[in-house]
Amino acid sequence: MGDFIAEGFGVSQEEAQRMRKTYTTIRHDACRADAPAQPVPANAFLDYVHDIDLSVIEPAPDLRDALDALPGASSSSPTARAAMQSP
């Protein structure tokens, strides 16, 4: 998370950790109406940490179909699309 914050905001690792701690505290108050808005889109961090090399995974269309059949499941996320396109 520190790397994501440092790169995204152009700050040092030390400043990134300070920001992380501050944001974690704010996030715990997210249910309050006066809580500040998120500084970055929620999916931006998830996309960053899930940007992994999936080329070592063999495609499994039957598994994809079974997972898509689960309630609330979707193969439309960037990570899922990348996994489906792996050689």
Side-chain angles (χ1 to χ4, degrees):
M1 185 179 284
D3 288 345
F4 173 77
I5 294 170
E7 290 175 25
F9 290 94
V11 297
S12 68
Q13 285 291 326
E14 294 78 18
E15 177 63 10
Q17 292 307 318
R18 187 197 63 73
M19 292 172 70
R20 182 189 59 78
K21 288 179 183 179
T22 299
Y23 182 66
T24 300
T25 301
I26 291 170
R27 187 167 174 230
H28 289 293
D29 294 334
C31 292
R32 293 182 19 212
D34 62 342
Q38 291 179 298
V40 295
N43 285 339
F45 176 69
L46 294 176
D47 291 344
Y48 180 86
V49 297
H50 291 114
D51 184 18
I52 56 176
D53 179 12
L54 300 172
S55 65
V56 297
I57 301 172
E58 293 291 325
D62 292 340
L63 177 59
R64 181 197 61 226
D65 294 343
L67 292 173
D68 276 345
L70 295 172
S74 172
S75 61
S76 63
S77 74
T79 303
R81 285 194 306 274
M84 288 185 288
Q85 295 173 1
S86 293

